[in-house]
Amino acid sequence: MSNNMIKFISVDDLELDKANPRLPSTFRKNKISEKDIINWMLQDASIIELMLAIGNSGFFIGESLLVVEENGKYVVVEGNRRLTSTKLLCHPELADIHKKKIAQVINETSERPKEIPCIVFENRSEINKYLGYRHVTGVKSWGALQKARYLSALREDFPDIDFTQQCRELAKSIGSRSDHVKKLLIAFELYEQIEDNGFFKIRDLDETSIFFNYYSDSLSRENIRDFLGVDIKSESPLDDVDTENLRELTRWFFEKNEQGKSRVLGDSSHLGMLDKVLENKDAKEYFINGSGSLVDAYQIVSVSSESFDQEIEMSLAGLKRAQNIIHRIDRHSNAESIIIKLKEISNLARNMSVIVERSEDDGWDD
């Protein structure tokens, strides 16, 4: 960077980066205007705060933008939020939303930077290492999906080496681990398949609501990988991916029931249970073909003397609570149904008692 001098460039000669990893994928696939990008960026409330800061204090040279010259214009590779804020200060008519807030900022501030300090690079690849550290492993970290999209774009810098080596080179360039990079890249390819399939028509699921890390974290689980058909050791890990199972996993993650809950959360606990369930034939069939919960399916795998004791303790505690309040109820509106359930509880308890007693008898070695 030492050979790149700071240059002050007119705001009107600076363009927002249409390849910015933070932009929705639909923006990169379709022809969009700078105004479209500005209004998308403006959905982030911090843009108003940034406008206020720049409008009051101007543009500090320490916040220089990183730009490349493309087609006679300077494209801002790093600093799109700052450029958006400055353009709105100079041209508030670009805004289609938050017009009252912008008008208030305009009335309360006086600074209108016409030129912005920039560091001009010959090409994007010169900026990539810096951006990789800053946004993938550094303090200005992007979200997991933006990181993965950025790394996927960087793969183009290594066209002549295999996938594993690409991951190693990318990891070195951003100061990360190659296995982490590999999971992000594989998960991003899975995401692209989900996107190409219209997010499997799951209600309210799109790029803004999907939790990308559910997929990257899932790749740490052997049986979930096998379920998806991902061979993480292969140079082409998604050659045998099962799109139907990818749809099923996505439904488990994001399709909501009447109570607004999904069948599987993407946290470590649920992913661990799902991995065990998918390993066991009976538990897997129960979970996939039935409506039972993941916990119910997991109990098929994890059943033990301790788990049985825990279920008995929980049932007993519930019955004791019911007994403590029964005398406070003057009249039971559904007495017939309650009596049927109590008889069923009695029969279940009697049958389990016989089974436990027999197991105790069988345990003696005469």
Side-chain angles (χ1 to χ4, degrees), residues 99-111:
K99 291 184 178 182
K100 289 184 178 180
K101 291 181 180 179
I102 290 174
Q104 184 176 353
V105 171
I106 297 297
N107 290 332
E108 294 177 359
T109 61
S110 58
E111 293 288 335

Side-chain angles (χ1 to χ4, degrees), residues 167-198:
C167 294
R168 292 194 185 112
E169 293 298 326
L170 289 171
K172 283 192 292 185
S173 71
I174 65 171
S176 185
R177 288 167 35 192
S178 61
D179 60 334
H180 176 64
V181 169
K182 178 178 281 190
K183 275 186 269 189
L184 283 175
L185 289 172
I186 294 173
F188 183 66
E189 289 192 44
L190 290 173
Y191 167 79
E192 288 187 311
Q193 291 194 27
I194 294 168
E195 186 181 58
D196 287 343
N197 281 278

Side-chain angles (χ1 to χ4, degrees), residues 26-27 73 75 88 181 197 220 351:
T26 52
F27 274 31
K73 283 279 189 175
V75 178
L88 284 168
V181 169
N197 281 278
S220 298
N351 291 339

